[in-house]
């Protein structure tokens, strides 16, 4: 599959079909999910209506991490095989990833005010998301500051890969350093878990975010492929070489 | 022709791929790192918040100081400037203005966000922003002066921190105190007046001194 | 060509004069040269010759008022009034002084604004054949294109005395011909030029004076 | 030929008119300014002293990062290095060693003086110095890596701070925590072992990554 | 002279070969040149000519392995074994790459250590007439002296293929003669040279091949 898509022409063909599908699926999931989340589901006992923030917050936090993983994998491919499509992919994962990270921070702090009484706590989980934002910004900054595309791709991919090793280290150190945030109650096995009327809308919202991520990334890759096409379109060389042997 | 100079500096900043914004990143990183180092407890840190914000602004600005004249000196633009019919004083003024706009203003605008992560009361946020605004001209002019003095020395960066520190200490002291002053007497706080005074002095003394320093650099 | 120098041509040309008396400059403890006296005024081309490291660049710096003389004086005058170097001299250093991230056009425009000759930028850029590269950032220009941009700045400066350090370096044959043409036109309009150069470009054969620095043995 | 490289870097540092010492000045200025900003009361600040010292070291080191490859890149030395028969990995190693010697070691040696200012107990001073020593290799290598990635970009200075921050935060957390750990279990403190681990990881991953980045810069 | 190249001379010279096939490189969206093929091996002098900004420096960078080819390949081989550019090429860029605060001697010594040719430094420095300036910091050297130092580095590199960008710029007539002499001796000992130059120095008249980049119209 990946091998098949590695050709930009085939990729464009594929994305022509896939992109709208992702877009519409995401829209549908959002409508359904938000309906369940905002209207159907009950307010929580401790958090009251503010719990509805969870349906925006938790998927954003998850997608932020998923996007980074995708980014790191694309970077690995780009670094080893120097494939231009992988560069486009990595670059296109970064922007939505940054946006999700930012969204997780904003919704988290909007939730923090009713839940903890402050916008922000220097708690391990939140700090590590802040650091993830720094990593994303650094990654984007490299693309931004280096005009030569190939070089930018290579340097950015090095940073993304090393940054990926760094993520468990940060998580471990920061989690261990100061904890306040909700422990992972869904992701860890045997945890008490949420009742199904909360779990369902959450799951659908996660799907919606994931499709949104797919849609944004595909569009980003398409635009990037087209852009580098245009750059290559003008092919008449400025000079001809004349070689004379004396 | 100050306009042309300011326009050029702004264009250069925009062209640099957003480099001028990195001062803002430094500001954020500084706040984050100090919060982490101090242990992250909001109750413990709240009293220090204005001080930390002031420190973040000062270090972020200080680290942009060397850039004010460094590249212009190295690539020979400063020598050409001397050969144009423009006064060095207006050059210094233009540099101070573009520095304030590019390197200090964004920090002041980011202060409310920083205040959020320390959970500062609104009044203190206002006070911090006002004190920073009043100190901005002085900060920019100290930057121009020290950069003019050290233009073209390698490693001038650190040295600039050293030579501007004595000038900046009064700003820092009164700036941080102004937050208490503001709580008591709002805009009438004597510390704020001192900050205005310091800014005026720096305009009157610092700018001519900077242009003299540039002249000395070029002969 | 006529438009380019119109300001010097239209007004009666400034009577610019640069007078060097008994100048000595030393570097690293030994004098490079001592007791040098000469003068340059409208219509002169002074060709400064000499081996590598003999002191040409240092001398030009002093003439442009960028190095202070150790003993002796350099005096500048406009219409017989003493003035400063910047009133009458334009200096093209060995290194091009373009801002890497500005385009050629923006960089030139900035200097044109400072000199109040904004209307000349387009002409000057075309003159040095940088028209097609007007919107390329100067960091991407080739070595020769950078030197051409520096020539354009000389044109827009509209100063009567041009001080040029090794202007032909890195230029192709068109470029050398261009220097000839520019300098000749400048002189024809009452300007003067001081040129340090190894290569005897054609213009130098019409130099009114040569100053050769020769190592003392 | 790492020896030749290190020797050259040390000579350059000595020739630069003491620029390499300015990191030390920055360290001193940082300590002084934060003491002033935080109000100067010893009792209030004593618990924060190790954190402030750690912050001072980290910022001082971070600000020296850009210099590691910047000038070598700009003046074309790096391209020539690529054309010599030497491996870029050993170049990175040499740079890390000379950075540690010139920019981190003096700070560690200055720690007791800073501790004096804060009236720290001797044991904490020891603990701070040990934790800094163990983190030094990681710090130097992150510097080499980020400088290799950003060599030749203007405004790289601030950006380097941004891209190294995520790497440095674990060092900072464990470094500051190690001071408590040391009080309880001396050299057996688990935090110290984590610092050693981080340094080892940085050697294993950071150095090859830095040499790959340099290679990418030069093709 | 003999000592300088002794290492290439004494051993049987390495059979170095640089082969360019179908090379294209573009800048700013337009290809500078396309489909360029040529090869250089022992005894060749390839003179690259062309107007300012046509792409000579870019081409040299690709030959020295410093720019990656967009399409096409550049292959290096030593004794018929494929190798990397650094094994057989020495590159003298347009800009001198001396460390400002090192003395000329220290700067050269550093590179000699890297190339394992420490014994040649003194000779090389004398050869380019920088003997008297050995202890001057390179930031104080004149433009021509800096270029001479770069020549000395070419000598101590002991690589069979010399790639030189505009070597004669800023040099006086002695300097140009020196380049002639060095290149001739290098060729005589089985080396090869690729030279981009506007000025037809004497050595170039003995070029075995010329490559002219001419603007397509
Ligand atoms: C800016 C502040 C915040 C940030 C950066 C943040 C970050 C995160 C992250 C990264 C996750 C995903 C954890 C995982 O991988 O399993 C998460 C999950 C969650 N967050 Fe937050 N959070 C913030 C504020 C809050 C607040 C104020 C609350 C409510 C009191 C909250 C409640 C939750 C809950 C319930 C989950 C789901 C936990 C699970 O089941 O895994 N968060 N948050
Ligand atoms: N600190 C110093 N110690 C010793 N010599 C020095 C010092 N500073 C400068 N010099 C010498 O002074 C001279 C400066 O010469 P200058 O740059 O004016 O030469 P030039 O005639 O322009 O040469 P070129 O033709 O190479 O451009 C050089 O020979 C240089 O070596
Ligand atoms: N980003 C860009 N946009 C447009 N043109 C560019 C860009 N980058 C480089 N160029 C052009 O590519 C060419 C590079 O040429 P190069 O430096 O190889 O020339 P050269 O033959 O060495 O010239 P010279 O004789 O002046 O040294 C120049 O014409 C330059 O203007
Ligand atoms: Mg000279
Ligand atoms: Mg060139």
């Amino acid at each position: 599959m990946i091998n098949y898509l590695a050709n930009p022409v085939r990729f464009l063909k594929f994305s022509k079909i896939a992109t709208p599908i992702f877009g519409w699926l995401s829209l549908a999931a959002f409508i359904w999910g938000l309906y369940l989340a905002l209207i159907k589901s009950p307010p929580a006992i401790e958090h009251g209506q503010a719990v509805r923030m969870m349906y925006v917050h938790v998927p954003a936090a998850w997608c932020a991490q998923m996007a980074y993983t995708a980014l790191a994998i694309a970077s690995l491919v780009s670094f080893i095989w120097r494939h231009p499509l992988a560069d486009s992919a990595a670059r296109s994962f970064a922007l939505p990833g940054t946006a999700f990270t930012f969204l997780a921070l904003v919704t988290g702090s909007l939730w923090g005010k009713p839940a903890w009484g402050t916008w922000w706590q220097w708690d391990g989980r939140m700090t590590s998301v802040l650091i993830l934002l720094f990593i994303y910004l650094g990654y984007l900054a490299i693309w931004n500051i280096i005009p030569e595309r190939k070089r930018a791709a290579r340097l950015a991919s090095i940073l993304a890969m090393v940054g990926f090793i760094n993520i468990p280290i940060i998580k471990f150190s920061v989690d261990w350093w100061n904890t306040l945030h909700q422990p992972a109650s869904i992701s860890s096995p045997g945890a008490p878990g949420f009742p199904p009327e909360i779990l369902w809308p959450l799951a659908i919202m996660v799907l919606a975010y994931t499709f949104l991520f797919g849609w944004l990334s595909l569009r980003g890759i398409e635009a990037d492929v087209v852009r580098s096409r245009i750059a290559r379109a003008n092919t008449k060389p400025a000079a001809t070489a004349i070689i004379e042997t004396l | 022709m100050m306009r042309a100079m300011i326009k050029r500096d702004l264009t250069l900043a925009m062209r640099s791929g957003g480099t001028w914004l990195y001062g803002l990143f430094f500001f954020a990183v500084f706040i984050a790192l100090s919060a982490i180092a101090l242990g992250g407890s909001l109750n413990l840190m709240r009293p220090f918040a204005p001080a930390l914000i002031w420190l973040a602004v000062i270090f972020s600005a200080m680290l942009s100081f060397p850039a004010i004249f460094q590249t212009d000196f190295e690539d020979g633009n400063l020598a050409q400037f001397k050969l144009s019919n423009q006064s060095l004083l207006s050059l210094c003024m233009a540099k101070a203005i573009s520095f304030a706009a590019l390197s200090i203003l964004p920090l002041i605008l980011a202060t409310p966000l920083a205040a959020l992560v320390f959970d500062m009361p609104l009044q203190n946020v206002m006070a911090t922003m006002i004190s920073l605004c009043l100190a901005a001209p002085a900060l920019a002019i100290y930057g121009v002066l020290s950069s003019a003095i050290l233009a073209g020395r390698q490693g001038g960066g650190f040295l600039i921190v050293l030579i501007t520190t004595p000038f900046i200490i009064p700003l820092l002291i009164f700036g941080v105190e102004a937050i208490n002053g503001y709580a008591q007497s709002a805009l009438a706080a004597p510390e704020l007046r001192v900050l205005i005074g310091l800014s005026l002095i720096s305009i009157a003394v610092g700018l001519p001194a900077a242009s003299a320093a540039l002249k000395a650099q070029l002969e | 060509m006529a438009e380019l120098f119109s300001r010097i041509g239209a007004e009666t040309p400034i009577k610019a004069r640069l007078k060097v008396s008994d100048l000595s400059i030393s570097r690293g403890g030994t004098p490079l040269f001592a007791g040098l006296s000469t003068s340059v005024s409208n219509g002169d081309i002074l060709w400064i010759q000499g081996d590598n490291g003999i002191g040409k660049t240092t001398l030009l710096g002093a003439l442009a008022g960028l190095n202070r003389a150790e003993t002796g004086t350099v005096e500048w005058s406009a219409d017989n009034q003493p003035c400063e170097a910047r009133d009458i001299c334009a200096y093209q250093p060995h290194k091009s002084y373009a801002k890497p991230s500005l385009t050629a056009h923006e960089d030139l425009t900035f200097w044109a604004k400072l000199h109040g000759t904004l209307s000349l930028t387009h002409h000057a850029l075309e003159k040095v054949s940088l028209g097609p590269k007007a919107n390329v950032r100067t960091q991407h220009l080739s070595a020769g294109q950078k030197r051409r941009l520096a020539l354009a700045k000389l044109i827009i400066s509209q100063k009567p005395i041009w001080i040029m350090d090794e202007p032909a370096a890195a230029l192709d044959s068109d470029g050398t011909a261009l220097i000839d043409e520019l300098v000749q036109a400048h002189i024809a309009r009452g300007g003067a030029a001081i040129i340090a150069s190894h290569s005897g470009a054609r213009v130098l054969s019409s130099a009114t004076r040569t100053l050769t620095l020769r190592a003392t043995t």
Side-chain angles (χ1 to χ4, degrees), chain A, chain B, chain C:
Chain A
M1 173 77 176
I2 292 189
N3 232 338
Y4 175 80
L5 288 180
N7 178 321
V9 180
R10 261 176 279 171
F11 172 81
L12 282 185
K13 253 190 221 157
F14 162 79
S15 71
K16 213 171 186 172
I17 305 163
T19 311
I21 296 180
F22 272 87
W24 290 114
L25 277 180
S26 159
L27 191 67
F30 262 113
I31 293 171
W32 187 22
L34 285 174
Y35 165 72
L36 287 183
L38 300 183
I39 300 165
K40 281 288 286 274
S41 80
I45 306 112
E46 321 154 48
H47 294 325
Q49 293 296 343
V51 75
R52 303 197 190 285
M53 191 59 94
M54 176 174 74
Y55 305 113
V56 228
H57 167 72
V58 176
W62 281 348
C63 281
Q65 297 170 49
M66 181 181 77
Y68 194 82
T69 313
L71 169 61
I73 293 172
S75 296
L76 186 71
V77 173
S78 139
F79 187 80
I80 296 177
W81 288 287
R82 291 180 189 267
H83 201 290
L85 201 62
D87 299 343
S88 303
R91 193 183 186 178
S92 312
F93 295 152
L95 260 177
T98 315
F100 288 137
T101 313
F102 191 68
L103 194 65
L105 284 172
V106 171
T107 52
S109 46
L110 288 177
W111 195 358
K113 193 67 185 172
W116 302 328
T118 71
W119 300 102
W120 182 264
Q121 286 282 352
W122 287 98
D123 136 281
R125 191 72 73 79
M126 293 154 78
T127 308
S128 68
V129 176
L130 184 66
I131 297 165
L132 182 64
L133 183 71
F134 285 156
I135 298 184
Y136 271 123
L137 288 177
Y139 178 87
L140 287 177
I142 288 184
W143 272 106
N144 199 21
I145 204 173
I146 301 175
E148 311 90 331
R149 193 191 150 80
K150 282 185 180 158
R151 183 168 301 161
R154 243 177 134 58
L155 293 171
S157 73
I158 291 172
L159 185 71
M161 289 185 300
V162 181
F164 191 66
I165 300 168
N166 200 35
I167 280 193
I169 299 179
I170 296 172
K171 250 189 131 50
F172 162 61
S173 67
V174 180
D175 278 354
W176 178 84
W177 165 72
N178 207 341
T179 38
L180 220 173
H181 188 276
Q182 202 84 5
S185 45
I186 297 172
S187 33
S188 58
F194 293 110
E197 60 272 30
I198 290 184
L199 205 53
W200 263 110
L202 189 60
I204 291 162
M205 284 302 283
V206 168
L207 269 184
Y209 270 74
T210 312
F211 285 130
L212 179 66
F213 173 66
W215 183 66
L216 288 173
S217 320
L218 281 175
R219 295 211 50 174
I221 299 174
E222 268 174 24
D224 211 46
V225 168
V226 172
R227 207 180 310 139
S228 47
R229 275 259 186 94
I230 292 172
R232 236 175 302 131
N234 188 353
T235 43
K236 191 168 169 252
T240 41
I242 301 152
I243 299 172
E244 290 169 72
T245 308
L246 306 170
Chain B
M1 289 292 106
M2 269 168 62
R3 286 249 308 279
M5 192 73 206
I6 295 175
K7 183 167 165 230
R8 188 194 72 150
D9 280 359
L10 296 186
T11 317
L12 281 175
M14 297 304 136
R15 281 299 158 69
S16 60
T19 358
W20 62 285
L21 272 177
Y22 297 149
L24 211 55
F25 292 161
F26 180 85
F27 179 82
V29 165
F30 185 93
I31 302 264
L33 285 185
S34 12
I36 290 171
L38 298 183
S41 146
L42 278 184
N43 287 332
L44 248 160
M45 288 191 303
R46 200 169 293 120
F48 297 136
L52 288 178
I53 292 178
W54 255 91
L55 279 177
V57 171
I58 281 185
F59 281 115
S60 177
M62 268 186 169
L63 299 173
S64 318
F65 283 172
I68 299 179
F69 286 116
Q70 187 67 23
T71 50
D72 276 339
F73 183 84
E74 280 173 2
D75 60 20
N77 267 276
L78 218 48
Q80 292 296 331
F81 200 90
K82 193 187 170 197
L83 280 176
S84 79
N85 291 339
Q86 306 300 321
S87 86
L88 292 175
L89 189 66
S90 66
L91 172 68
C92 291
M93 214 157 355
K95 286 286 184 180
I97 292 172
S98 47
F99 184 81
L102 284 169
S103 302
I104 305 184
L105 191 65
L107 304 182
I108 297 180
L109 296 179
T111 301
L113 264 177
L116 215 101
V117 301
F118 289 123
D119 194 28
M120 269 164 80
L122 188 67
Q123 197 191 25
N124 282 3
V125 183
M126 282 299 295
T128 311
M129 288 183 74
I130 292 172
S131 67
L132 284 173
C133 283
L134 295 180
L139 206 52
I141 288 168
Y142 295 155
V144 171
L145 173 59
S146 53
S147 183
I149 293 177
L150 290 178
R153 317 279 155 226
Q154 355 149 244
F158 279 126
L159 200 50
I160 275 187
V161 172
L162 193 70
I163 71 169
T164 40
T165 305
F167 298 100
I168 281 184
I169 286 177
L171 287 182
L172 182 64
I173 292 176
F174 287 105
V176 175
E177 284 296 325
I179 282 113
N180 296 330
Y182 185 83
Q184 285 158 24
S185 35
L187 287 179
E191 290 87 356
L192 293 181
R193 278 192 235 149
V194 174
L195 287 181
I196 296 177
L198 288 174
S199 277
L200 291 179
I201 293 178
S202 75
I203 294 175
V205 177
L207 280 182
S211 87
L214 273 192
K215 199 154 170 239
Q217 287 287 2
L218 292 173
E219 65 184 21
Chain C
M1 206 51 216
E3 319 81 288
L4 285 183
F5 295 98
S6 57
R7 293 185 75 232
I8 291 183
E11 305 161 19
T12 45
I14 310 175
K15 263 179 78 183
R17 192 176 146 84
L18 188 160
K19 187 154 171 289
V20 181
S21 334
D22 198 28
L23 182 71
S24 346
I25 297 187
S26 42
R27 284 284 176 271
T30 36
L32 288 177
F33 45 79
L36 197 152
S37 304
T38 184
S39 80
V40 172
S41 44
N42 305 47
D44 284 348
I45 300 181
L46 176 65
W47 177 15
I48 302 185
Q49 279 177 294
D51 288 348
N52 286 143
I54 201 83
K56 300 181 295 299
T57 301
T58 316
L59 175 59
L60 291 187
L63 299 185
L66 297 171
N67 296 338
R68 187 177 275 277
E70 258 148 56
T71 61
T73 52
V74 183
E75 287 161 315
W76 300 269
S77 64
D79 294 332
N80 300 324
Q81 299 295 316
C83 64
E84 291 202 56
R86 66 177 194 203
D87 296 321
I88 53 168
C89 295
Y91 175 50
Q92 182 193 24
H94 194 275
K95 224 172 100 192
S96 72
Y97 54 101
K99 282 281 158 196
S101 57
L102 293 183
T103 65
H105 182 255
E106 286 168 342
D107 193 56
L108 190 63
T109 304
F110 169 70
W111 289 107
K113 276 191 199 152
L114 290 197
H115 290 116
T117 51
L118 204 50
S119 57
L120 295 181
T121 43
H122 183 72
H123 272 110
L125 217 47
E126 291 294 335
K127 192 74 214 161
V128 299
S129 327
L130 280 182
K133 296 286 173 185
N135 294 319
V136 175
R137 297 197 185 180
T138 64
Q139 70 198 121
H140 293 138
L141 294 180
S142 78
Q145 289 165 340
K146 280 189 192 138
R147 310 278 321 174
R148 282 162 186 264
L149 185 58
L151 279 178
K153 290 182 192 164
L154 220 48
I155 297 175
I156 54 114
S157 78
Q158 293 286 346
K159 299 279 170 72
I161 302 185
W162 286 3
I163 300 178
M164 305 164 88
D165 196 357
E166 213 57 79
L171 287 184
D172 54 19
S173 52
D174 281 6
T176 1
L178 174 68
I179 294 180
D180 287 356
E181 183 192 334
L182 290 179
V183 173
Q184 295 292 8
H186 183 60
I187 301 301
R189 274 163 188 74
I194 304 173
I195 305 175
S197 178
H198 295 297
S199 69
R202 218 179 331 135
V203 64
L204 295 178
S205 56
S206 60
T208 54
R209 207 108 44 76
T210 64
L211 190 164
T212 310
L213 294 172
R214 190 161 294 145
T216 42
T217 39

